[in-house]
Amino acid sequence: MKLLPDGPLYRAVVIAVLAVAVGAGGYFLYNGVIRNDPSCATGVERRGPRHECTGVTDGGYSFAKPLAPVFGRIKAENDSVAGKNPATIALMIPMTSDNAAEQREFVEQVQGAYLAQYRANHRANGKQPPIRLVLANPGRNYAYWRPVADALVKAAASDKENLRAVAGINISLRETAETVRYLTHDKGIPVVAGPMTADDIKNGADNAYPGLARIAPSNTDQAQALGSYGADIKPAETMVVEDIREGDNYLTTLRGTFEKLATGAPNAPETFRSPQDFTEEGNLANDFHQMVPDICSSNAKTIYFAGRPVQLRQFLIELGGRNCDKHYTVVTGSHASTLTVDEKFADQWNALTKGAGITVRYAALAHPDAWGEGSTEATGGSKDALRELASLLHDAQPSSGPSIGPASLSDGRIIITYDAVTTAVAGIRNDTVGAVKMPGLTEVRDSWLRLHGTNRVDGASGWICLDQYGNPRNKAVPIVHLDPTTRTAVFDRTAWPAGHAPDANCSISSDG
């Protein structure tokens, strides 16, 4: 007895119905579960309209393909100290970008952090505790800093993870200030900022960020160093070109310092407003094109440029096409180092050689020649520290076997982040004495108060001597210029915010 019809037509109908059912089930599975699954990996979630994978990883998940080689080495190093009661340091920086030059900078900063971790675990005479490094990505421009910071707060409270410091903090933005204040003031977690230079994200008598240590010279320190280098610049022959976009602490302080250097200039600053995402170009090339004739008609020979790298590139290209036969020196901030790795500037270096030429000079955060073998400075830095970093980098790029990927010390990003993590390690280990196996957050925070004099950190970027507020006192400032022939930043000389090098003891004066 047949309960259901038979035959080829019926079988075809059944197969079609089953196919639709399976397809619909697959769609609802994808639409309801897979597509909306916020997880990228353990501790990492998709956030925002771009579905950015942000969060904290031990290296097992790579936020971007260029990061994969160095993340792999960090993962291996973390696995090697598992079960040995390591202290954890988090590198907190954005790690993904659509801008190739900016992505290259992120890779270099992770490489610098890894080299510091490796040195702490393998070239420090067995000092304790071992160091575990985690990678914390708060998203583009720190957009998702809060949930990532909250994950770090949990790690600091965990006896298993023992997070003892956050390092990195590389872009001076409003969101950066909020991140640092939350971690230090609200949660008591020590922070060592890397290439952060804004004057208004630091401690003073108000102690707004208790537990914050900075190792890079501020914009004001850079300007003072540039001022001592360019003492022959006449204010009447200067002009300021400045970005007036709000919410960017780097721009705010750079504008202020350059306006002071140009006091007495006959022309008011030429202004522009960059896109909110400063890695975008917008139509500012048109604005700069209109500025150039006014610059040519002025008495200016030195132009102080307060802007981010993308806008600096656009400005230099337009200035290179000027009709007047005048040489210009463009003085700008440390973020100009990005031009050396900017693919969009790669075929535009001739902008610096057209007509009477353009000299681009800036205060770098670090440069390999500042404390290279040719350095003649007696105090303020160490050839040995830079030599050791160069050795670590060489060993991390073997001809065969796992490598940290292409890397160079030339733009200073590896150096300054290496020094930030090295400073965090010093703070942790200086309090690991006697019966103390793992210092508390308060002990690490207070250790910044002793990192001067004979307890200074011999950084590869120069001596790191912290004052009572955790700020670097009279930190070496390499003055460099862009060389269109070698397409690199060439070291000119070391300058000092105080006008002279520190004494042999790296003493901190009573006024800080």
Side-chain angles (χ1 to χ4, degrees), residues 212-229:
L212 169 64
R214 291 178 42 151
I215 65 163
S218 68
N219 285 344
T220 294
D221 284 349
Q222 293 177 42
Q224 290 173 337
L226 282 165
S228 67
Y229 178 84

Side-chain angles (χ1 to χ4, degrees), residues 238-303:
T238 66
M239 177 183 289
V240 176
V241 175
E242 60 186 23
D243 189 344
I244 58 173
R245 176 171 52 82
E246 299 86 3
D248 189 321
N249 301 62
Y250 174 83
L251 296 179
T252 300
T253 56
L254 204 60
R255 287 195 302 264
T257 54
F258 283 166
E259 286 172 5
K260 288 180 182 177
L261 286 177
T263 298
N267 295 87
E270 291 282 354
T271 62
F272 63 94
R273 190 186 303 274
S274 62
Q276 196 58 40
D277 182 346
F278 56 78
T279 64
E280 296 179 358
E281 302 196 9
N283 59 0
L284 284 175
N286 297 343
D287 288 37
F288 295 135
H289 181 77
Q290 295 173 58
M291 279 184 199
V292 170
D294 291 332
I295 293 173
C296 278
S297 63
S298 74
N299 292 326
K301 295 180 180 178
T302 298
I303 299 170

